[in-house]
């Protein structure tokens, strides 16, 4: 599960990345401090995994992971210098974006980069993404036109052309692709382009300790536009992440922060992406896996191993909540809560699966 931290220059991406991962990416007020992405992995703390592990006493317990990539500022002249294409193609492999918006006051930075204006920065970033997508879509349409002229007019090309026209029209109107209702076939025909404005965005206001609690108004305005939005005090969180846990707890209480920044961001990313967790249990291993809402049993099996998807026969399935309510797998069998599900079964959050397969 790959999430990209993106945003305009100096919004505090690396600061937040450090707070999340405990790493020490270089941050700087003046210069572009890094030209490559920092990549860090964060464990998804899920109490259910802990409880399953207590029950099954496996040799290994494995929590789910989120991978964060902290990108240098996109859409800047710097980015053009340093093979913007390579950077953009890496950005495009992300499943979703945390768009960091500068919302702290700093007189020097205000002078250098203008006063913080998160709403306008959000719009700027969207516009740049629309432009990028437009360039790609139009180039591809020209190529398709050329193929038609050469007498190549397959149904696949025609479908792609239809989808691209649909997309270009939306982009011209200023609508990001994520808001378009593409048909399943249309969506498939353009998936390979990994359009930026198609990816889900979490707007994250990077605030100072002082204004962190006073941005409800801005958050409300961003949410009205249809974004998931939240505020954090980036540098404060970075400092917290470097403290001993007991000390950090005191400061967190002072600020009225209940959960670590990791856990907060994890919940938000799950909400943003529609992620949910299923589990596998046994003597060897208790493990959490991440899929998306609506994924079926075969997709879930494929997360574990491609052979399991290829040779899928059935999924033995029961749910975490039922297991906790009734105490054992045996009790679940007696109550009829231990089920055999087929390929089309839509996996639910907290399902515990065992895949029967044959390859
Ligand atoms: N006052 C204040 N400064 C902050 C905050 N967050 C980040 N900064 C400062 O802003 C500067 C830029 O922060 P970075 O985290 O490097 O920003 P960035 O978005 O990664 O920057 P680029 O990668 O160069 O685009 C650093 O000097 C940070 O210390 C904050 O919440 N308050
Ligand atoms: Mg940075």
């Amino acid at each position: 599960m790959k999430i990209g931290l993106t945003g305009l220059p100096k919004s505090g991406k690396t600061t937040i990345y450090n707070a999340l991962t405990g790493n020490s990416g270089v941050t700087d007020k003046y210069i572009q401090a890094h030209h490559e992405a920092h990549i860090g992995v964060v464990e998804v703390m899920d109490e259910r995994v802990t409880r399953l592990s207590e029950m099954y006493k496996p040799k290994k317990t494995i929590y789910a992971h989120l991978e964060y990539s902290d990108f240098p500022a996109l859409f800047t002249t710097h980015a053009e210098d340093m093979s913007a294409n390579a950077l953009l193609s890496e950005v495009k492999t992300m499943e979703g974006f945390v768009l960091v918006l500068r919302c702290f006051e700093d007189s020097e930075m205000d002078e250098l980069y203008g006063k913080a204006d998160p709403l306008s920065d959000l719009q700027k970033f969207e516009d740049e993404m629309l432009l990028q997508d437009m360039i790609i879509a139009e180039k591809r349409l020209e190529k398709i036109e050329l193929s038609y002229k050469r007498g190549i007019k397959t149904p696949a090309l025609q479908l792609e052309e239809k989808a691209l026209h649909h997309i270009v029209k939306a982009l011209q109107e200023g609508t990001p692709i994520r808001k378009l209702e593409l048909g399943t076939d249309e969506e498939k025909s353009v998936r390979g382009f990994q359009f930026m404005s198609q990816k889900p965005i979490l707007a994250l206001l990077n605030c100072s300790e002082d204004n962190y609690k006073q941005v409800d108004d801005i958050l409300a305005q961003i949410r009205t536009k249809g974004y998931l939005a939240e505020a954090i005090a980036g540098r404060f969180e970075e400092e917290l992440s470097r403290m001993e846990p007991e000390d950090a707890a005191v400061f967190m209480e002072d600020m009225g922060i209940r959960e670590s920044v990791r856990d907060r961001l994890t919940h938000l990313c799950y909400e943003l992406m529609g992620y949910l967790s299923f589990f596998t249990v046994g003597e060897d291993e208790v493990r959490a896996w991440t899929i998306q809402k609506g994924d079926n049993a075969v997709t879930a099996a494929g997360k574990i191993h491609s052979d399991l998807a290829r040779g899928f026969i059935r999924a033995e399935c029961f749910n975490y909540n039922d297991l906790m309510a009734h105490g054992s797998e045996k009790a679940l069998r007696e109550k009829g809560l231990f089920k055999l599900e087929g390929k089309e079964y839509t996996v639910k959050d907290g399902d515990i699966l065992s895949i029967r397969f044959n390859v």
Side-chain angles (χ1 to χ4, degrees):
M1 306 284 124
K2 292 164 73 169
I3 303 290
L5 290 161
T6 58
L8 296 177
K10 307 299 162 206
S11 47
K13 302 175 288 295
T14 304
T15 303
I16 292 171
Y17 166 83
N18 288 344
L20 282 173
T21 60
N23 293 351
S24 314
V26 182
T27 59
D28 195 279
K29 244 187 219 190
Y30 307 103
I31 57 157
Q32 172 116 13
H34 55 110
H35 294 273
E36 266 134 36
H38 302 119
I39 298 173
V41 171
V42 169
E43 221 168 47
V44 176
M45 268 309 139
D46 186 337
E47 202 195 317
R48 295 173 297 179
V49 178
T50 314
R51 296 201 49 198
L52 287 170
S53 180
E54 285 161 9
M55 190 177 240
Y56 286 88
K57 306 198 178 4
K59 294 188 190 105
K60 268 189 300 183
T61 301
I62 304 176
Y63 292 82
H65 290 89
L66 278 180
E67 184 183 293
Y68 290 104
S69 297
D70 162 35
F71 291 100
L74 297 176
F75 311 129
T76 63
T77 45
H78 282 300
E80 277 150 30
D81 296 341
M82 41 148 298
S83 76
N85 288 339
L87 180 63
L88 278 181
S89 53
E90 202 183 333
V91 170
K92 286 178 162 204
T93 64
M94 298 296 120
E95 292 169 42
F97 296 134
V98 173
L99 177 55
V100 180
L101 299 163
R102 179 159 62 95
C103 195
F104 54 88
E105 271 185 35
D106 180 304
S107 53
E108 265 178 327
M109 288 179 71
D110 291 355
E111 200 156 302
L112 284 167
Y113 312 109
K115 257 189 135 18
D117 187 347
L119 278 160
S120 131
D121 287 354
L122 172 60
Q123 192 56 50
K124 247 190 231 167
F125 200 86
E126 275 284 26
D127 289 346
E128 290 287 355
M129 290 202 293
L130 298 188
L131 189 64
Q132 284 292 329
D133 289 349
M134 180 86 88
I135 293 168
I136 290 165
E138 285 187 330
K139 257 195 203 149
R140 179 63 192 152
L141 278 171
E142 278 168 26
K143 281 219 172 120
I144 292 177
E145 192 58 35
L146 218 65
S147 298
Y148 287 176
K149 281 191 185 140
R150 291 199 192 114
I152 307 163
K153 195 163 187 173
T154 62
L157 270 185
Q158 283 171 293
L159 178 67
E160 191 186 334
E161 187 204 6
K162 186 170 149 248
L164 287 170
H165 276 304
H166 200 159
I167 282 171
V168 166
K169 183 164 170 285
L171 293 173
Q172 280 166 344
E173 289 162 0
T175 307
I177 302 172
R178 82 181 80 85
K179 288 198 178 163
L180 268 186
E181 299 230 346
L182 292 173
T184 316
D185 288 347
E186 274 188 308
E187 200 277 325
K188 262 193 195 154
S189 75
V190 298
R191 197 177 285 167
F193 297 109
Q194 299 180 302
F195 288 117
M196 287 187 75
S197 75
Q198 195 167 13
K199 315 226 183 226
I201 287 190
L202 162 66
L204 190 64
L205 297 181
N206 181 22
C207 301
S208 66
E209 279 173 71
D210 308 326
N211 73 351
Y212 162 67
K213 290 270 158 113
Q214 295 150 18
V215 291
D216 286 353
D217 210 30
I218 306 175
L219 283 173
Q221 287 184 61
I222 296 178
R223 286 176 186 144
T224 311
K225 292 174 190 280
Y227 296 93
L228 184 64
E230 204 45 76
I232 72 164
R235 199 153 69 175
F236 179 73
E237 294 283 0
E238 187 188 31
E239 284 160 10
L240 283 183
S241 71
R242 296 194 169 138
M243 288 179 195
E244 293 300 325
E246 308 84 63
D247 297 335
V250 176
F251 281 94
M252 277 170 75
E253 204 181 326
D254 270 2
M255 276 279 276
I257 299 175
R258 265 186 240 115
E259 254 183 325
S260 75
V261 67
R262 288 182 183 205
D263 292 348
R264 266 176 289 148
L265 247 289
T266 297
H267 297 322
L268 286 164
C269 288
Y270 269 63
E271 184 181 343
L272 178 73
M273 301 305 304
Y275 290 152
L276 52 83
S277 302
F278 74 92
F279 309 112
T280 49
V281 297
E283 284 172 9
D284 282 336
E285 185 181 281
V286 162
R287 181 163 182 169
W289 304 85
T290 314
I291 50 170
Q292 277 179 303
K293 259 177 218 143
D295 281 347
N296 63 23
V298 179
T299 308
K303 290 280 163 181
I304 305 171
H305 197 287
S306 56
D307 283 351
L308 269 61
R310 202 153 49 86
F312 184 95
I313 303 171
R314 285 203 179 286
E316 294 174 2
C317 174
F318 52 102
N319 195 275
Y320 172 84
N321 291 333
D322 293 335
L323 178 66
M324 290 302 145
H326 298 283
S328 70
E329 281 186 35
K330 187 165 165 279
L332 292 184
R333 282 179 203 271
E334 286 162 11
K335 300 260 184 244
L337 292 169
F338 191 103
K339 297 188 179 133
L340 281 178
E341 304 286 1
K343 288 185 174 181
E344 296 307 324
Y345 171 70
T346 305
V347 177
K348 316 240 168 359
D349 190 44
D351 274 351
I352 299 172
L353 299 181
S354 169
I355 309 294
R356 289 192 195 163
F357 71 111
N358 183 9
V359 281

